[in-house]
């Protein structure tokens, strides 16, 4: 199939076929990172701008490495080093970037919908690298790639997502993505961190973590932030970890072939016990490895790779 | 100089009249009105307006507009806002005090009135602030403000969070005949919110504003109106819960009145899909059940008035990330056509719609309204059949921020008259 999409904004807008193509392409990209010379000329002459309004280590590095392994020219700007500090609007900054003819703009932004806004106004492709609490589609795709790799399929799996669902773009994108591919998603967290109407995303809400992880093929733990005490969302980290953290004892009641995921960065000892994070069920670092492959696939596909493959 | 409006459908909610007839204007005042009959001019120089197929109504009154002057003249001025009002069929508006500087002293009130007089289009009645600088700490000089021409007090744009201040504002206002208008919003509950709380906000990843943020304060203000026995007017009602509270209060005889805006009876939160900042306002667009409750409340009189909350913004505030975009939509030039949709849908009679848009807001603010001999000729002629497409580019307002762009609507003002002087005439109408 051809990949005709200009932008990657959220999981809701991708079709099942497109998701499959992205995951298949990512799998074939993965091998490049294992070569002694980790570089192919596929995106030679393409310019990729990493536009990060919000701090990020993992996602930015991952995109940067992905672009470089495909021979694209990538450059990175952050809010603190851009004209934003001089009061320029997002749109003006983006229009100025566009005047330099980049092929792909990767945007991380603290506000929901910012990539959609840019995509409407720019001719370049826009890839959402996380917008507020809305979406993080490349994270969901790398999670789905990792699960598919380990389990052979996404259909019929039970995925438990535990933590601050309300403030998690990772949770939203994974809910949308996994359910679209036929998995059953169960979310769990303190009621203060459960957004209104989450069921409308096609997921169910478990009353407690033990119910959530019972029979789960995958347990995905979300980062809990200490700042959440401010909005009265939780009492203490101590209590949070007791009632909503993933401990070795809890894990004993899970399926023997359960796999543990975390989008990072982890708060060891809060949402996840260190021995669980480092234990045999953990595929947390596989997620990171696959992140590069998924992002290579996305850069390749939106740059018109599939369309121009015969020319290359 | 006389003007005879002939053969129109005369609708005057002040007297419950809805009948074909003629209306004669002499020297700016209504000199004769014959519902069901005809008038012959007695002077030599009479101008005729053929109103067959049109409605002849008292000028519409918008009790909630933001004209941005002084301070944000790039968004709107009293002159451009007045032009938009006249084009929308309004002959009187009440301007909110959240300008820069705030209308919290007689000088600013007088400035607004002077600007309106210089514009010479519609009657502009300023609402002044309840608290100095809208800061919720110190009561404004209501007596001075009333003497300067203010007709109401409100901290609109912000709530009066302190219940004691609200109590005192109600008590103190009654000494000077000022109506207290309440912007109901519990800030701790709405903090950070960008749209209605619910499944759509969850899916869009936008922080939500629960309905309770509005209704809690509606209930508080109803309790304070009961306590003080001074009427409170609830601005921009958007939720079913608020409607229920107001209905109950009215049944109990508590002095409370309420308004809603055309966007709350025309749209739901779905309008923000795609992060459309032109559908971002405060309170936010709600769900279908809220919209239906607002419609029902307009029909049964629980909500007294339709007011636009006309809130012009420029691209600077709207062509940005959704969460950073300013709240507010323009409304003056689409309010009547959207109201006429309620008539077309059978929810309101023409008489009821005109009442909600003229007599009711006038009564709440203590202003004259009606078509009686001897009254100033503040009149709108409405063509209920003309079809048009909303185009913000053609607005008289400087604001282009409408969620109704491209809508096909039927019916609008074709001639607006203030004190007998024509302040707006549709290019296609008469002469």
């Amino acid at each position: 199939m051809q990949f005709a999409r200009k932008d990657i904004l959220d999981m809701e807008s991708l079709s099942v076929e497109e998701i499959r193509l992205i995951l298949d392409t990512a799998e074939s990209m993965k091998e490049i990172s294992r070569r002694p010379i980790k570089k192919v000329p596929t995106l030679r002459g393409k310019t990729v701008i990493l536009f990060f309004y919000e701090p990020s280590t993992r996602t930015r590095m991952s995109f940067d490495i992905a672009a470089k392994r495909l021979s694209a020219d990538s450059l990175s700007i952050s809010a603190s080093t851009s004209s934003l500090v001089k009061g320029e609007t997002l749109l003006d900054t983006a229009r100025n970037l566009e005047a330099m003819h980049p092929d792909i703009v990767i945007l991380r932004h603290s506000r929901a919908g910012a990539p959609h806004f840019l995509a409407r106004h720019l001719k370049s492709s826009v890839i959402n690298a996380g917008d507020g609490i809305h979406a993080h589609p490349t994270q969901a795709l790398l999670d789905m790639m990792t699960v598919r790799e380990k389990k052979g399929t996404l259909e019929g799996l039970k995925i438990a997502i535990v933590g601050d669902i309300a403030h998690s773009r990772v949770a939203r994108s994974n809910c949308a993505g996994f359910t679209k591919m036929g998995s059953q998603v169960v979310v769990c967290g303190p009621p203060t961190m459960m957004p209104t109407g989450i069921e409308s995303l096609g997921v169910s809400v478990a009353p407690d973590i033990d119910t959530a992880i019972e029979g789960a093929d995958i347990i995905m733990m979300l980062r809990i932030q200490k700042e959440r005490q401010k909005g009265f969302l939780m009492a203490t980290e101590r209590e949070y970890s007791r009632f909503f953290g993933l401990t070795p004892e809890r894990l004993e009641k899970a399926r023997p072939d359960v796999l543990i995921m975390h989008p990072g960065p982890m708060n060891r000892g809060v949402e996840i016990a260190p021995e669980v994070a480092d234990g045999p069920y953990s595929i947390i670092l596989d997620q990171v490895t696959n992140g590069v492959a998924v992002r290579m696939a996305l850069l390749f596909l939106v740059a018109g790779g599939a369309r121009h493959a015969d020319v290359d | 100089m006389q003007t005879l409006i002939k053969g129109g459908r005369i609708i005057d909610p002040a007297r419950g009249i809805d009948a074909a007839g003629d209306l004669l204007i002499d020297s700016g005042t209504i000199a004769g009105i014959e519902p069901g009959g005809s008038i012959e001019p007695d002077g030599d120089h009479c101008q005729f307006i053929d109103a067959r197929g049109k409605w002849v109504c008292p000028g519409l009154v918008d009790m909630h507009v933001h004209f941005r002057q002084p301070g944000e003249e790039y968004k709107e001025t009293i002159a451009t806002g007045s032009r938009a009002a006249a084009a929308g069929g309004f002959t009187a508006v009440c301007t909110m005090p959240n300008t820069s500087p705030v209308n919290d002293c007689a000088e600013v009130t007088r400035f607004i009135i002077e600007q309106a007089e210089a514009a010479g289009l519609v009657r502009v009645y300023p609402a002044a602030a309840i608290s100095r600088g809208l800061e919720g700490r110190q009561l404004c000089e209501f007596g001075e403000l009333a003497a300067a021409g203010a007709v109401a007090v409100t901290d609109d744009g912000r709530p009066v969070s302190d219940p004691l201040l609200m109590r005192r504002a109600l008590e103190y206002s009654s000494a000077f005949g000022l109506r207290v208008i309440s912007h109901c919003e519990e800030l701790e509950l709405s903090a950070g919110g960008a749209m209605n709380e619910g499944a759509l906000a969850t899916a869009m990843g936008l922080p939500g504003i629960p309905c309770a943020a509005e209704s809690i304060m509606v209930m508080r203000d109803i309790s304070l109106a009961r306590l003080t026995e001074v009427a409170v007017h609830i601005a921009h009602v958007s939720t079913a819960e608020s409607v229920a509270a107001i209905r109950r209060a009215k049944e109990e005889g508590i002095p409370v009145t309420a308004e809603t805006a055309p966007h709350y009876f025309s749209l739901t939160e779905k309008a923000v899909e795609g992060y459309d900042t032109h559908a971002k306002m405060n309170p936010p667009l709600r769900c279908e059940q809220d919209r239906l409750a607002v419609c029902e409340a307009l029909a049964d009189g629980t909500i007294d008035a339709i007011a636009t909350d006309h809130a012009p913004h420029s691209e600077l505030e709207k062509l940005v990330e959704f969460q950073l975009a300013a709240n507010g939509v323009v409304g003056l030039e689409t309010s009547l056509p959207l109201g006429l949709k309620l008539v077309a849908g059978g929810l309101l009679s023409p008489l009821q719609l005109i009442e909600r848009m003229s007599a009711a807001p006038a009564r709440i603010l203590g202003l004259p309204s009606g078509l009686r001999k001897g009254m100033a000729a503040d009149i709108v002629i409405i063509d209920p059949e003309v079809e048009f497409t909303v185009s913000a580019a053609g607005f008289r307002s400087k604001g282009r921020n409408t969620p109704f762009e491209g809508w096909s609507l039927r019916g609008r003002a074709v001639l607006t008259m203030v004190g007998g002087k024509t302040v707006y005439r549709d290019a296609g109408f008469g002469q």
Side-chain angles (χ1 to χ4, degrees):
Chain A
M1 88 173 259
Q2 294 223 327
F3 194 83
R5 200 164 282 282
K6 169 181 164 280
D7 311 296
I8 305 291
L9 300 177
D10 48 46
M11 294 308 293
E12 284 84 345
S13 55
L14 294 174
S15 70
V16 171
E17 291 71 33
E18 285 171 325
I19 292 172
R20 257 192 219 119
L21 176 64
I22 293 166
L23 299 185
D24 291 345
T25 310
E27 262 173 35
S28 66
M29 290 288 177
K30 198 170 171 180
E31 173 267 332
I32 295 167
S33 296
R34 289 197 215 99
R35 295 181 192 175
I37 309 290
K38 302 176 190 59
K39 207 174 186 68
V40 293
T42 316
L43 294 189
R44 201 178 43 207
K46 301 280 185 192
T47 307
V48 176
I49 295 181
L50 309 176
F51 194 5
F52 277 64
Y53 267 63
E54 221 186 35
S56 159
T57 310
R58 195 179 327 254
T59 304
R60 178 149 77 167
M61 289 273 293
S62 183
F63 266 114
D64 205 7
I65 289 172
K68 289 190 161 74
R69 289 195 179 154
L70 293 173
S71 300
D73 297 310
S74 65
L75 57 125
S76 182
I77 50 170
S78 59
S80 55
T81 59
S82 72
S83 304
L84 293 167
V85 289
K86 297 176 190 163
E88 190 171 60
T89 65
L90 172 62
L91 188 57
D92 279 333
T93 307
R95 279 176 174 158
N96 278 279
L97 292 180
E98 176 138 289
M100 301 178 215
H101 302 293
D103 299 281
I104 301 170
V105 175
I106 293 155
L107 180 70
R108 157 70 62 94
H109 198 286
S110 60
R111 307 296 184 169
H116 305 64
F117 173 68
L118 269 202
R120 270 200 304 275
H121 289 98
L122 296 189
K123 287 188 278 295
S124 327
S125 289
V126 174
I127 298 179
N128 181 2
D131 63 326
I133 57 171
H134 174 229
H136 197 349
T138 65
Q139 177 74 42
L141 287 163
L142 73 88
D143 288 342
M144 291 159 73
M145 177 187 179
T146 308
V147 172
R148 198 176 76 160
E149 192 177 79
K150 303 288 176 189
K151 296 287 183 186
T153 181
L154 296 175
E155 244 166 86
L157 297 181
K158 179 181 172 185
I159 317 284
I161 305 178
V162 182
D164 184 358
I165 309 295
H167 300 90
S168 175
R169 54 190 170 215
V170 175
R172 276 178 181 72
S173 283
N174 271 319
C175 286
F178 276 101
T179 53
K180 193 166 269 190
M181 301 310 282
S183 309
Q184 177 209 345
V185 177
V186 177
V187 294
C188 174
T192 48
M193 298 179 181
M194 200 54 68
T196 320
I198 184 74
E199 298 88 350
S200 68
L201 297 182
V203 307
S204 56
V205 180
D208 55 68
I209 185 168
D210 293 317
T211 313
I213 68 179
E214 192 186 329
D217 299 283
I218 303 291
I219 303 172
M220 187 182 295
M221 300 305 293
L222 301 174
R223 174 183 168 76
I224 195 76
Q225 291 166 288
K226 205 182 165 86
E227 305 89 270
R228 298 296 173 218
Q229 278 169 306
K230 270 187 207 145
F232 314 114
L233 293 166
M234 66 172 184
T236 59
E237 285 186 352
R238 181 178 153 277
E239 178 166 278
Y240 183 89
S241 79
R242 176 168 167 198
F243 290 95
F244 299 96
L246 191 58
T247 57
E249 300 76 47
R250 281 217 164 91
L251 205 50
E252 275 171 26
K253 287 179 253 163
R255 281 174 64 108
D257 60 347
V258 71
L259 296 174
I260 313 299
M261 304 176 81
H262 194 299
M266 280 187 282
N267 268 320
R268 287 169 178 267
V270 184
E271 73 268 9
I272 189 164
E275 51 273 50
V276 174
D278 303 329
Y281 307 112
S282 168
I283 52 170
I284 292 170
L285 294 176
D286 299 87
Q287 292 175 267
V288 180
T289 302
N290 286 339
V292 174
V294 154
R295 289 167 181 128
M296 286 169 78
L298 289 171
L299 292 173
F300 171 72
L301 291 171
V302 299
R307 275 168 283 168
H308 303 132
D310 49 346
V311 182
D312 292 345
Chain B
M1 176 69 183
Q2 293 188 325
T3 303
L4 184 59
I5 303 174
K6 277 198 78 70
R9 177 176 174 179
I10 294 178
I11 299 175
D12 181 13
R15 289 190 290 159
I17 292 168
D18 182 353
D22 294 350
L23 188 149
L24 182 69
I25 298 159
D26 195 349
S27 309
T29 57
I30 296 172
I33 176 162
E34 282 294 335
S38 62
I39 299 175
E40 294 306 321
D42 49 312
D44 293 338
H45 304 286
C46 186
Q47 183 195 350
F48 291 88
I49 296 175
D50 180 1
R52 282 173 298 174
K54 312 288 188 291
W55 299 357
V56 179
C57 309
L60 305 181
V61 177
D62 189 346
M63 65 180 302
H64 196 132
V65 301
H66 298 268
F67 278 0
R68 306 300 187 201
Q69 194 178 7
E72 291 180 309
E73 291 81 359
Y74 69 100
K75 293 182 180 179
E76 192 82 293
T77 64
I78 290 163
T80 58
S82 297
R83 269 203 288 284
F90 295 92
T91 57
V93 298
C94 178
T95 54
M96 294 297 114
N98 61 339
T99 46
S100 179
V102 170
N103 181 15
D104 60 3
C105 60
E107 288 78 1
V108 179
T109 301
R110 279 195 291 269
F111 169 81
I112 292 166
I113 291 169
E114 281 161 18
Q115 292 297 312
E117 280 167 0
L121 295 165
V122 301
R123 302 182 198 275
V124 175
Y125 297 98
I130 287 173
S131 69
R132 285 281 172 88
L134 308 176
E135 286 173 353
R137 285 199 286 272
Q138 193 186 347
L139 211 53
C140 291
E141 295 171 328
F142 287 2
E144 300 277 345
L145 290 162
V151 297
V153 285
T154 177
D155 276 359
D156 183 69
R158 298 178 50 78
V160 175
S161 292
D162 183 338
L164 178 62
L165 174 59
M166 191 61 176
R167 173 189 179 164
R168 297 304 182 217
L170 286 165
E171 290 168 342
Y172 196 49
S173 69
S174 64
F176 306 104
L178 292 168
R179 178 68 65 230
V180 175
I181 300 172
S182 180
H183 167 118
C184 290
E185 177 183 4
E186 194 57 67
L187 292 175
E188 301 291 349
L189 283 175
S190 63
M195 68 173 289
N196 183 44
E197 180 172 313
L200 186 60
T202 294
M204 291 179 72
L206 287 171
I209 300 173
C211 289
E214 174 179 305
S215 53
I216 283 178
M217 197 167 278
V218 169
M219 293 176 203
R220 181 202 74 173
D221 287 346
I222 287 169
S223 294
L224 292 174
R226 185 205 295 270
L227 172 71
T228 59
E229 298 178 347
V230 177
V232 66
H233 176 77
I234 310 295
H236 41 59
V237 170
S238 74
T239 80
E241 249 178 40
S242 300
V243 164
I246 294 163
R247 184 175 289 127
R248 205 161 51 239
K250 285 189 165 186
E251 282 164 7
E252 293 175 23
I254 300 169
V256 55
T257 56
E259 73 189 34
T260 191
H263 37 274
Y264 301 120
F265 65 69
S266 304
L267 298 170
T268 67
E269 60 177 3
K270 277 190 161 309
V272 308
E273 272 177 338
Y275 302 95
D276 186 355
T277 58
H278 285 165
K280 187 183 180 194
M281 75 280 294
N282 186 25
L285 296 170
R286 306 288 187 180
C287 297
E288 180 64 3
Q289 60 140 345
D290 296 296
R291 190 188 74 82
L292 292 173
V294 165
C295 286
E296 193 193 337
L298 272 173
D300 72 11
T302 299
I303 292 178
D304 302 80
I306 295 171
T308 63
D309 198 359
H310 178 81
H313 288 292
S314 80
E315 275 199 357
L316 296 177
E317 291 80 23
K318 288 293 192 180
L319 201 51
V320 296
E321 299 89 316
F322 190 87
Q323 283 170 268
L324 301 182
N327 287 310
V329 299
V330 291
L332 284 166
E333 292 166 82
T334 47
S335 182
L336 174 61
L338 291 165
L340 287 165
K341 265 177 86 84
L342 300 182
V343 174
L347 186 83
L348 298 179
S349 68
L351 189 65
Q352 284 174 317
L353 174 69
I354 300 306
E355 197 267 342
R356 310 297 189 257
M357 297 188 73
S358 62
R363 182 188 73 237
I364 294 165
L365 294 176
L367 309 175
S369 170
L371 301 177
R372 241 187 4 259
K373 195 171 173 178
M375 289 182 77
D378 289 5
I379 291 166
V380 59
I381 299 177
I382 297 165
D383 181 343
E385 299 299 333
V386 61
E387 290 181 30
F388 68 103
T389 302
V390 177
S391 167
F395 282 171
R396 276 83 180 161
S397 169
K398 284 191 183 182
R400 300 283 181 266
N401 47 312
T402 176
F404 302 108
E405 178 74 17
W407 280 40
S408 294
L409 296 173
R410 174 185 286 223
R412 65 177 176 197
V414 290
L415 188 141
T416 311
M417 203 179 261
V418 175
K421 176 186 152 195
T422 298
V423 293
Y424 171 74
R425 182 191 284 269
D426 186 274
F429 179 63
Q431 234 172 6

